[in-house]
PDB file of all heavy atoms in Angstrom:
ATOM      1  N   PHE A   5     134.698  57.653  35.258  1.00 96.00           N
ATOM      2  CA  PHE A   5     134.262  56.963  34.035  1.00 96.00           C
ATOM      3  C   PHE A   5     135.074  57.506  32.901  1.00 96.00           C
ATOM      4  O   PHE A   5     135.271  58.736  32.806  1.00 96.00           O
ATOM      5  CB  PHE A   5     132.738  57.244  33.821  1.00 96.00           C
ATOM      6  CG  PHE A   5     131.828  56.287  34.551  1.00 96.00           C
ATOM      7  CD1 PHE A   5     131.895  56.229  35.943  1.00 96.00           C
ATOM      8  CD2 PHE A   5     130.941  55.487  33.856  1.00 96.00           C
ATOM      9  CE1 PHE A   5     131.064  55.342  36.634  1.00 96.00           C
ATOM     10  CE2 PHE A   5     130.117  54.596  34.552  1.00 96.00           C
ATOM     11  CZ  PHE A   5     130.178  54.533  35.951  1.00 96.00           C
ATOM     12  N   ALA A   6     135.604  56.643  32.072  1.00 96.00           N
ATOM     13  CA  ALA A   6     136.531  57.028  31.001  1.00 96.00           C
ATOM     14  C   ALA A   6     135.809  56.959  29.668  1.00 96.00           C
ATOM     15  O   ALA A   6     135.129  56.026  29.361  1.00 96.00           O
ATOM     16  CB  ALA A   6     137.757  56.141  31.006  1.00 96.00           C
ATOM     17  N   SER A  16     143.636  54.946  15.907  1.00 95.00           N
ATOM     18  CA  SER A  16     144.310  54.754  17.189  1.00 95.00           C
ATOM     19  C   SER A  16     143.582  55.469  18.321  1.00 95.00           C
ATOM     20  O   SER A  16     142.858  56.423  18.089  1.00 95.00           O
ATOM     21  CB  SER A  16     145.772  55.251  17.114  1.00 95.00           C
ATOM     22  OG  SER A  16     145.790  56.631  16.859  1.00 95.00           O
ATOM     23  N   GLY A  19     143.757  58.992  23.860  1.00 95.00           N
ATOM     24  CA  GLY A  19     143.604  59.344  25.262  1.00 95.00           C
ATOM     25  C   GLY A  19     142.224  59.069  25.796  1.00 95.00           C
ATOM     26  O   GLY A  19     141.384  58.496  25.081  1.00 95.00           O
ATOM     27  N   PRO A  35     127.859  64.032  40.211  1.00 87.00           N
ATOM     28  CA  PRO A  35     127.832  64.602  41.571  1.00 87.00           C
ATOM     29  C   PRO A  35     126.888  65.831  41.634  1.00 87.00           C
ATOM     30  O   PRO A  35     126.834  66.578  40.686  1.00 87.00           O
ATOM     31  CB  PRO A  35     129.286  64.989  41.802  1.00 87.00           C
ATOM     32  CG  PRO A  35     130.052  64.192  40.862  1.00 87.00           C
ATOM     33  CD  PRO A  35     129.204  64.003  39.632  1.00 87.00           C
ATOM     34  N   LYS A  51     145.985  60.162  39.959  1.00 93.00           N
ATOM     35  CA  LYS A  51     147.266  59.451  40.039  1.00 93.00           C
ATOM     36  C   LYS A  51     147.084  57.967  39.733  1.00 93.00           C
ATOM     37  O   LYS A  51     147.885  57.333  39.028  1.00 93.00           O
ATOM     38  CB  LYS A  51     147.867  59.628  41.443  1.00 93.00           C
ATOM     39  CG  LYS A  51     148.336  61.035  41.704  1.00 93.00           C
ATOM     40  CD  LYS A  51     148.846  61.153  43.155  1.00 93.00           C
ATOM     41  CE  LYS A  51     149.349  62.521  43.499  1.00 93.00           C
ATOM     42  NZ  LYS A  51     149.819  62.637  44.907  1.00 93.00           N
ATOM     43  N   ARG A  52     146.051  57.354  40.257  1.00 92.00           N
ATOM     44  CA  ARG A  52     145.819  55.941  40.048  1.00 92.00           C
ATOM     45  C   ARG A  52     145.494  55.621  38.607  1.00 92.00           C
ATOM     46  O   ARG A  52     145.935  54.628  38.027  1.00 92.00           O
ATOM     47  CB  ARG A  52     144.723  55.430  40.997  1.00 92.00           C
ATOM     48  CG  ARG A  52     145.130  55.514  42.448  1.00 92.00           C
ATOM     49  CD  ARG A  52     143.947  55.274  43.385  1.00 92.00           C
ATOM     50  NE  ARG A  52     143.492  53.898  43.373  1.00 92.00           N
ATOM     51  CZ  ARG A  52     142.342  53.524  43.949  1.00 92.00           C
ATOM     52  NH1 ARG A  52     141.617  54.395  44.596  1.00 92.00           N
ATOM     53  NH2 ARG A  52     141.994  52.242  43.901  1.00 92.00           N
ATOM     54  N   LEU A  59     152.152  54.291  29.530  1.00 83.00           N
ATOM     55  CA  LEU A  59     152.603  53.695  28.253  1.00 83.00           C
ATOM     56  C   LEU A  59     151.477  53.114  27.407  1.00 83.00           C
ATOM     57  O   LEU A  59     151.751  52.533  26.371  1.00 83.00           O
ATOM     58  CB  LEU A  59     153.683  52.606  28.523  1.00 83.00           C
ATOM     59  CG  LEU A  59     154.868  53.025  29.402  1.00 83.00           C
ATOM     60  CD1 LEU A  59     155.811  51.858  29.585  1.00 83.00           C
ATOM     61  CD2 LEU A  59     155.596  54.217  28.760  1.00 83.00           C
ATOM     62  N   ILE A  64     145.537  61.845  29.571  1.00 96.00           N
ATOM     63  CA  ILE A  64     144.212  61.770  30.190  1.00 96.00           C
ATOM     64  C   ILE A  64     143.761  63.231  30.462  1.00 96.00           C
ATOM     65  O   ILE A  64     144.570  64.094  30.798  1.00 96.00           O
ATOM     66  CB  ILE A  64     144.211  60.924  31.483  1.00 96.00           C
ATOM     67  CG1 ILE A  64     145.227  61.467  32.490  1.00 96.00           C
ATOM     68  CG2 ILE A  64     144.452  59.501  31.202  1.00 96.00           C
ATOM     69  CD1 ILE A  64     145.159  60.780  33.888  1.00 96.00           C
ATOM     70  N   PHE A  66     141.024  66.015  32.248  1.00 94.00           N
ATOM     71  CA  PHE A  66     140.326  66.225  33.532  1.00 94.00           C
ATOM     72  C   PHE A  66     139.713  67.614  33.481  1.00 94.00           C
ATOM     73  O   PHE A  66     140.372  68.604  33.200  1.00 94.00           O
ATOM     74  CB  PHE A  66     141.371  66.138  34.655  1.00 94.00           C
ATOM     75  CG  PHE A  66     140.750  66.286  36.053  1.00 94.00           C
ATOM     76  CD1 PHE A  66     139.885  65.361  36.588  1.00 94.00           C
ATOM     77  CD2 PHE A  66     141.095  67.382  36.816  1.00 94.00           C
ATOM     78  CE1 PHE A  66     139.383  65.500  37.852  1.00 94.00           C
ATOM     79  CE2 PHE A  66     140.588  67.545  38.103  1.00 94.00           C
ATOM     80  CZ  PHE A  66     139.713  66.586  38.605  1.00 94.00           C
ATOM     81  N   GLN A  72     137.778  76.305  39.957  1.00 91.00           N
ATOM     82  CA  GLN A  72     138.676  75.204  40.329  1.00 91.00           C
ATOM     83  C   GLN A  72     140.050  75.404  39.661  1.00 91.00           C
ATOM     84  O   GLN A  72     141.077  75.091  40.275  1.00 91.00           O
ATOM     85  CB  GLN A  72     138.060  73.865  39.821  1.00 91.00           C
ATOM     86  CG  GLN A  72     136.798  73.492  40.535  1.00 91.00           C
ATOM     87  CD  GLN A  72     136.114  72.341  39.807  1.00 91.00           C
ATOM     88  OE1 GLN A  72     136.057  72.272  38.555  1.00 91.00           O
ATOM     89  NE2 GLN A  72     135.534  71.404  40.584  1.00 91.00           N
ATOM     90  N   LEU A  94     148.791  65.138  31.509  1.00 97.00           N
ATOM     91  CA  LEU A  94     147.511  65.507  32.072  1.00 97.00           C
ATOM     92  C   LEU A  94     147.022  66.754  31.326  1.00 97.00           C
ATOM     93  O   LEU A  94     147.659  67.776  31.365  1.00 97.00           O
ATOM     94  CB  LEU A  94     147.645  65.783  33.579  1.00 97.00           C
ATOM     95  CG  LEU A  94     146.382  66.226  34.304  1.00 97.00           C
ATOM     96  CD1 LEU A  94     145.295  65.148  34.188  1.00 97.00           C
ATOM     97  CD2 LEU A  94     146.699  66.485  35.789  1.00 97.00           C
ATOM     98  N   THR A  99     136.340  74.273  31.369  1.00 90.00           N
ATOM     99  CA  THR A  99     134.960  74.138  30.927  1.00 90.00           C
ATOM    100  C   THR A  99     134.273  75.497  30.708  1.00 90.00           C
ATOM    101  O   THR A  99     134.807  76.531  31.099  1.00 90.00           O
ATOM    102  CB  THR A  99     134.141  73.294  31.900  1.00 90.00           C
ATOM    103  OG1 THR A  99     133.917  74.054  33.119  1.00 90.00           O
ATOM    104  CG2 THR A  99     134.852  71.980  32.241  1.00 90.00           C
ATOM    105  N   GLN A 102     129.782  78.758  34.112  1.00 64.00           N
ATOM    106  CA  GLN A 102     129.865  80.056  34.726  1.00 64.00           C
ATOM    107  C   GLN A 102     130.267  79.905  36.224  1.00 64.00           C
ATOM    108  O   GLN A 102     129.836  78.929  36.873  1.00 64.00           O
ATOM    109  CB  GLN A 102     128.543  80.819  34.672  1.00 64.00           C
ATOM    110  CG  GLN A 102     128.126  81.153  33.198  1.00 64.00           C
ATOM    111  CD  GLN A 102     126.828  81.953  33.163  1.00 64.00           C
ATOM    112  OE1 GLN A 102     126.218  82.158  34.179  1.00 64.00           O
ATOM    113  NE2 GLN A 102     126.494  82.409  31.976  1.00 64.00           N
ATOM    114  N   SER A 132     132.406  77.871  21.741  1.00 94.00           N
ATOM    115  CA  SER A 132     131.211  78.484  21.162  1.00 94.00           C
ATOM    116  C   SER A 132     129.921  78.179  21.936  1.00 94.00           C
ATOM    117  O   SER A 132     128.851  78.419  21.453  1.00 94.00           O
ATOM    118  CB  SER A 132     131.021  78.053  19.693  1.00 94.00           C
ATOM    119  OG  SER A 132     131.949  78.711  18.893  1.00 94.00           O
ATOM    120  N   GLU A 135     130.292  80.010  28.490  1.00 84.00           N
ATOM    121  CA  GLU A 135     131.266  81.103  28.613  1.00 84.00           C
ATOM    122  C   GLU A 135     132.387  81.016  27.629  1.00 84.00           C
ATOM    123  O   GLU A 135     133.187  81.940  27.481  1.00 84.00           O
ATOM    124  CB  GLU A 135     131.845  81.087  30.056  1.00 84.00           C
ATOM    125  CG  GLU A 135     130.866  81.547  31.106  1.00 84.00           C
ATOM    126  CD  GLU A 135     130.473  82.979  30.994  1.00 84.00           C
ATOM    127  OE1 GLU A 135     131.304  83.854  31.257  1.00 84.00           O
ATOM    128  OE2 GLU A 135     129.318  83.258  30.599  1.00 84.00           O
ATOM    129  N   GLN A 160     121.545  70.385  22.005  1.00 94.00           N
ATOM    130  CA  GLN A 160     120.735  70.749  23.185  1.00 94.00           C
ATOM    131  C   GLN A 160     120.209  72.188  23.092  1.00 94.00           C
ATOM    132  O   GLN A 160     119.123  72.498  23.585  1.00 94.00           O
ATOM    133  CB  GLN A 160     121.555  70.593  24.446  1.00 94.00           C
ATOM    134  CG  GLN A 160     121.841  69.160  24.809  1.00 94.00           C
ATOM    135  CD  GLN A 160     122.923  68.982  25.917  1.00 94.00           C
ATOM    136  OE1 GLN A 160     123.357  69.990  26.479  1.00 94.00           O
ATOM    137  NE2 GLN A 160     123.267  67.773  26.233  1.00 94.00           N
ATOM    138  N   GLU A 166     124.094  75.324  12.850  1.00 96.00           N
ATOM    139  CA  GLU A 166     125.394  76.032  12.940  1.00 96.00           C
ATOM    140  C   GLU A 166     126.602  75.082  12.936  1.00 96.00           C
ATOM    141  O   GLU A 166     127.727  75.527  12.758  1.00 96.00           O
ATOM    142  CB  GLU A 166     125.446  76.811  14.277  1.00 96.00           C
ATOM    143  CG  GLU A 166     124.428  77.939  14.408  1.00 96.00           C
ATOM    144  CD  GLU A 166     124.548  78.659  15.751  1.00 96.00           C
ATOM    145  OE1 GLU A 166     125.680  78.783  16.238  1.00 96.00           O
ATOM    146  OE2 GLU A 166     123.552  79.080  16.306  1.00 96.00           O
ATOM    147  N   ARG A 175     138.196  74.853  12.831  1.00 98.00           N
ATOM    148  CA  ARG A 175     139.311  74.223  12.073  1.00 98.00           C
ATOM    149  C   ARG A 175     140.315  75.265  11.648  1.00 98.00           C
ATOM    150  O   ARG A 175     141.523  75.091  11.787  1.00 98.00           O
ATOM    151  CB  ARG A 175     138.742  73.448  10.913  1.00 98.00           C
ATOM    152  CG  ARG A 175     139.818  72.710  10.097  1.00 98.00           C
ATOM    153  CD  ARG A 175     139.241  72.010   8.874  1.00 98.00           C
ATOM    154  NE  ARG A 175     138.695  72.984   7.923  1.00 98.00           N
ATOM    155  CZ  ARG A 175     138.119  72.682   6.764  1.00 98.00           C
ATOM    156  NH1 ARG A 175     138.002  71.390   6.423  1.00 98.00           N
ATOM    157  NH2 ARG A 175     137.693  73.575   5.930  1.00 98.00           N
ATOM    158  N   ASP A 195     127.233  62.073  11.548  1.00 97.00           N
ATOM    159  CA  ASP A 195     128.278  62.893  12.166  1.00 97.00           C
ATOM    160  C   ASP A 195     129.630  62.514  11.611  1.00 97.00           C
ATOM    161  O   ASP A 195     130.480  63.342  11.277  1.00 97.00           O
ATOM    162  CB  ASP A 195     128.265  62.721  13.674  1.00 97.00           C
ATOM    163  CG  ASP A 195     127.040  63.268  14.354  1.00 97.00           C
ATOM    164  OD1 ASP A 195     126.361  64.114  13.757  1.00 97.00           O
ATOM    165  OD2 ASP A 195     126.782  62.873  15.475  1.00 97.00           O
ATOM    166  N   LEU A 199     132.470  64.852   9.477  1.00 98.00           N
ATOM    167  CA  LEU A 199     133.865  65.026   9.948  1.00 98.00           C
ATOM    168  C   LEU A 199     134.879  64.519   8.938  1.00 98.00           C
ATOM    169  O   LEU A 199     135.963  65.070   8.783  1.00 98.00           O
ATOM    170  CB  LEU A 199     134.048  64.414  11.307  1.00 98.00           C
ATOM    171  CG  LEU A 199     133.191  65.005  12.433  1.00 98.00           C
ATOM    172  CD1 LEU A 199     133.519  64.353  13.757  1.00 98.00           C
ATOM    173  CD2 LEU A 199     133.317  66.490  12.527  1.00 98.00           C
ATOM    174  N   TYR A 211     129.382  57.304  19.602  1.00 96.00           N
ATOM    175  CA  TYR A 211     129.596  56.454  18.405  1.00 96.00           C
ATOM    176  C   TYR A 211     130.857  55.661  18.494  1.00 96.00           C
ATOM    177  O   TYR A 211     130.964  54.602  17.897  1.00 96.00           O
ATOM    178  CB  TYR A 211     129.648  57.403  17.169  1.00 96.00           C
ATOM    179  CG  TYR A 211     129.608  56.686  15.858  1.00 96.00           C
ATOM    180  CD1 TYR A 211     128.476  56.026  15.384  1.00 96.00           C
ATOM    181  CD2 TYR A 211     130.736  56.626  15.043  1.00 96.00           C
ATOM    182  CE1 TYR A 211     128.442  55.391  14.185  1.00 96.00           C
ATOM    183  CE2 TYR A 211     130.754  55.957  13.821  1.00 96.00           C
ATOM    184  CZ  TYR A 211     129.572  55.338  13.395  1.00 96.00           C
ATOM    185  OH  TYR A 211     129.593  54.671  12.175  1.00 96.00           O
ATOM    186  N   TYR A 212     131.827  56.183  19.234  1.00 95.00           N
ATOM    187  CA  TYR A 212     133.101  55.475  19.411  1.00 95.00           C
ATOM    188  C   TYR A 212     133.255  54.822  20.754  1.00 95.00           C
ATOM    189  O   TYR A 212     134.217  54.095  21.012  1.00 95.00           O
ATOM    190  CB  TYR A 212     134.269  56.441  19.173  1.00 95.00           C
ATOM    191  CG  TYR A 212     134.211  57.108  17.824  1.00 95.00           C
ATOM    192  CD1 TYR A 212     133.765  58.423  17.684  1.00 95.00           C
ATOM    193  CD2 TYR A 212     134.564  56.400  16.675  1.00 95.00           C
ATOM    194  CE1 TYR A 212     133.711  59.022  16.439  1.00 95.00           C
ATOM    195  CE2 TYR A 212     134.500  56.990  15.442  1.00 95.00           C
ATOM    196  CZ  TYR A 212     134.057  58.301  15.285  1.00 95.00           C
ATOM    197  OH  TYR A 212     133.983  58.865  14.072  1.00 95.00           O
ATOM    198  N   ARG A 223     146.415  49.366  44.482  1.00 55.00           N
ATOM    199  CA  ARG A 223     147.333  50.077  45.338  1.00 55.00           C
ATOM    200  C   ARG A 223     147.071  51.575  45.188  1.00 55.00           C
ATOM    201  O   ARG A 223     146.652  52.100  44.159  1.00 55.00           O
ATOM    202  CB  ARG A 223     148.787  49.808  44.925  1.00 55.00           C
ATOM    203  CG  ARG A 223     149.132  50.278  43.494  1.00 55.00           C
ATOM    204  CD  ARG A 223     150.469  49.838  43.052  1.00 55.00           C
ATOM    205  NE  ARG A 223     150.852  50.390  41.774  1.00 55.00           N
ATOM    206  CZ  ARG A 223     150.413  49.894  40.599  1.00 55.00           C
ATOM    207  NH1 ARG A 223     149.577  48.888  40.591  1.00 55.00           N
ATOM    208  NH2 ARG A 223     150.827  50.424  39.467  1.00 55.00           N
TER     209      ARG A 223
END
Side-chain angles (χ1 to χ4, degrees):
F5 275 59
S16 62
K51 291 178 180 178
R52 294 168 70 190
L59 306 180
I64 56 174
F66 181 67
Q72 294 168 322
L94 179 58
T99 71
Q102 294 183 354
S132 286
E135 289 294 289
Q160 289 169 4
E166 298 180 33
R175 182 182 65 180
D195 292 341
L199 298 184
Y211 190 71
Y212 302 104
R223 64 188 184 281

